[in-house]
Amino acid sequence: MESKNTGTCKVAKKCGGCRYQGVPYKEQLRIKQKQVERLLKPYGKVSPILGMEDPYYYRNKVHAVFGRERSGAIVSGTYQAGTHKIVNVDDCLIEDRKSGEIIRTIRGLLKSFKIWTYDEDNGSGLLRHVLVRRGFTSGQIMVVLVLASPILPSKNNFVKALRKVHPEISTVVINVNDQKTSMVLGRRDIVLYGKGYIEDTLCGCVFRISPQSFYQVNPVQTEVLYGKAMEFAGLTGKERVIDAYCGIGTIGLIAAKGAKEVIGVELNGDAVRDARTNAKRNEAKNIRFYHEDAGKFMVAMAETGEKADVVFMDPPRAGSDEAFLSSVIKLSPQKVVYISCNPETLARDLQYLTGHGYGVQRIQPVDMFCFSDHTETVCLLSKKVPV
Ligand code: SAH
């Protein structure tokens, strides 16, 4: 069953986020399948892409940039593709609807609280962005107000007014971003209300999500993706597993239930802190997390002659690097499960691994980003038997 409101988006052209607006969902899947096949067919057979039953309103994270039009009207939404002009967004077809409502409520409250939106050109004003994250399983909601300075006038009354309209909000955080930058978040978080994080459940594990941590934006398809990753790993309880680029520890913690030992490595300190808390929260005693560059960490492991049975790797869009991949070869795991959000860098990295003793067994695309042109793929490689 698809959601009722599936009309076309009024700002699709200006926003540019949904490349496939107006393209029937089945056709989108066909296009993505072809794209993955074009890049990855040389390495093995590509299984049919796993799509969503209902491809609307799937994003659990909604980000809106705030500003003013020449008329003085406050707008919130997204930057017009390739510019710094803000497109007002009222009903996005892929974002969580409740989160969108909260953003519109904030837009409506600003005037009476005399909170001015930030002006990128002259650096005046206060509110730059609002980020809302909702745990689809837990129902918990986090609102992050990204401000150009740490001081929000009448902050308690503002939170009260916001929670009066949306009592379901679990936590409100100020994030201070006082730099002239295109990055959304600054380094400093100040909790205004609640715990400063939310929790959500995936594949039977509970995860803490802080404002700065990476968390997959499509929770329904994330379960499909991780399910495939676990199926490919085929853990029996005896394995030593590495979860590289582990974020808040999602894949590693799910794997820990079926493995002897798991080692997670991640560059973002906040995510590592969340990962350690998540290990305690899920009573996983066979997992350790390291705060380091994944490539450097793997090189050090390989140099000390350590071994691993299964390596999960889930790098950002840029893919992995040679330091990491060459160390994988040295650590010599039986299986590598590569989860990728960019088939182009995946193809590049597969070329390296298949040139160094590994063969591709399975290639499974999963549609995590319906209507956009991004595609996620999970791929199983295993060590070739020497002849
Ligand atoms: N596996 C996690 C996160 C995947 S996103 C999940 O499924 O939720 C990619 C992660 O790689 C991000 O958390 C990012 O902070 C991290 N990362 C980026 N570059 C890295 C590097 N050089 N070394 C280790 N981690 C890195």
Side-chain angles (χ1 to χ4, degrees):
M1 268 280 293
E2 295 197 346
S3 320
K4 283 187 197 81
N5 182 4
T6 56
T8 46
C9 171
K10 287 189 214 101
V11 295
K13 269 218 174 94
K14 283 186 177 164
C15 161
C18 289
R19 166 100 177 260
Y20 298 128
Q21 264 294 323
V23 178
Y25 187 56
K26 274 204 176 124
E27 177 63 12
Q28 294 178 31
L29 293 176
R30 208 184 58 79
I31 296 169
K32 291 186 181 184
Q33 180 75 21
K34 276 202 132 173
Q35 182 207 17
V36 177
E37 282 179 1
R38 181 174 58 78
L39 289 159
L40 303 182
K41 224 178 181 169
Y43 302 100
K45 186 174 168 291
V46 180
S47 302
I49 186 166
L50 299 170
M52 288 189 89
E53 209 171 302
D54 178 358
Y56 298 94
Y57 307 109
Y58 61 84
R59 279 186 68 97
N60 59 6
K61 175 170 115 173
V62 178
H63 160 234
V65 53
F66 275 72
R68 267 164 180 269
E69 285 183 332
R70 275 216 196 104
S71 64
I74 298 171
V75 284
S76 67
T78 179
Y79 287 117
Q80 186 167 336
T83 74
H84 266 220
K85 205 168 168 279
I86 298 168
V87 184
N88 200 53
V89 175
D90 272 332
D91 182 19
C92 173
L93 293 176
I94 62 169
E95 291 174 348
D96 174 49
R97 279 193 268 201
K98 173 59 72 188
S99 305
E101 274 172 34
I102 292 172
I103 286 169
R104 288 195 292 282
T105 302
I106 292 173
R107 194 204 291 161
L109 286 175
L110 294 182
K111 214 170 172 187
S112 59
F113 278 87
K114 297 197 171 58
I115 298 171
W116 309 120
T117 57
Y118 180 75
D119 183 326
E120 278 203 325
D121 296 325
N122 61 22
S124 70
L126 184 63
L127 180 68
R128 299 181 75 149
H129 309 264
V130 173
L131 197 79
V132 182
R133 274 176 155 173
R134 186 165 77 86
F136 277 21
T137 314
S138 67
Q140 295 177 18
I141 297 177
M142 170 162 65
V143 175
V144 183
L145 306 167
V146 184
L147 306 183
S149 100
I151 298 168
L152 178 68
S154 336
K155 57 179 195 242
N156 294 337
N157 286 336
F158 182 77
V159 170
K160 229 187 225 166
L162 181 60
R163 289 201 67 255
K164 195 165 170 214
V165 188
H166 301 287
E168 60 278 20
I169 293 174
S170 331
T171 187
V172 182
V173 180
I174 288 178
N175 174 271
V176 187
N177 185 351
D178 51 11
Q179 306 287 311
K180 235 183 149 50
T181 167
S182 59
M183 297 278 286
V184 175
L185 295 178
R187 287 296 311 153
R188 188 168 159 212
D189 292 323
I190 304 164
V191 179
L192 284 188
Y193 172 80
K195 293 179 172 161
Y197 61 85
I198 55 167
E199 289 187 333
D200 198 26
T201 304
L202 271 182
C203 302
C205 292
V206 182
F207 297 104
R208 173 199 278 217
I209 308 148
S210 295
Q212 314 260 354
S213 308
F214 175 89
Y215 187 64
Q216 291 282 2
V217 296
N218 183 338
V220 172
Q221 289 299 85
T222 301
E223 289 204 322
V224 174
L225 179 77
Y226 291 170
K228 275 286 159 196
M230 294 306 144
E231 179 195 319
F232 289 178
L235 299 171
T236 64
K238 293 191 187 125
E239 294 82 0
R240 184 167 208 231
V241 173
I242 294 175
D243 176 12
Y245 309 91
C246 68
I248 60 170
T250 38
I251 295 170
L253 279 160
I254 296 163
K257 291 193 277 191
K260 181 161 176 252
E261 181 192 359
V262 180
I263 295 163
V265 57
E266 161 65 44
L267 193 58
N268 176 320
D270 288 325
V272 176
R273 207 187 52 217
D274 283 354
R276 288 179 181 142
T277 311
N278 288 333
K280 282 200 196 105
R281 179 78 173 73
N282 292 283
E283 293 174 10
K285 298 201 169 63
N286 57 343
I287 189 162
R288 273 169 301 149
F289 292 100
Y290 294 88
H291 178 200
E292 217 182 304
D293 171 87
K296 280 191 189 143
F297 180 81
M298 294 290 277
V299 169
M301 258 189 102
E303 274 170 3
T304 49
E306 299 224 31
K307 295 283 168 211
D309 300 302
V310 177
V311 171
F312 288 98
M313 54 184 290
D314 185 8
R317 287 186 62 73
S320 192
D321 54 32
E322 198 160 334
F324 185 95
L325 295 171
S326 61
S327 307
V328 168
I329 309 297
K330 284 190 196 137
L331 289 167
S332 176
Q334 208 55 46
K335 291 178 181 173
V336 177
V337 181
Y338 193 141
I339 297 152
S340 157
C341 55
N342 183 353
E344 305 211 352
T345 53
L346 173 61
R348 183 198 67 202
D349 293 347
L350 287 184
Q351 186 174 13
Y352 187 95
L353 291 169
T354 54
H356 291 81
Y358 280 81
V360 174
Q361 308 299 332
R362 302 279 299 270
I363 303 172
Q364 177 66 65
V366 178
D367 193 24
M368 303 277 283
F369 312 106
C370 319
F371 292 93
S372 89
D373 57 357
H374 294 287
T375 309
E376 190 88 12
T377 311
V378 52
C379 183
L380 169 67
L381 297 105
S382 66
K383 209 158 55 169
K384 281 187 206 149
V385 187
V387 276

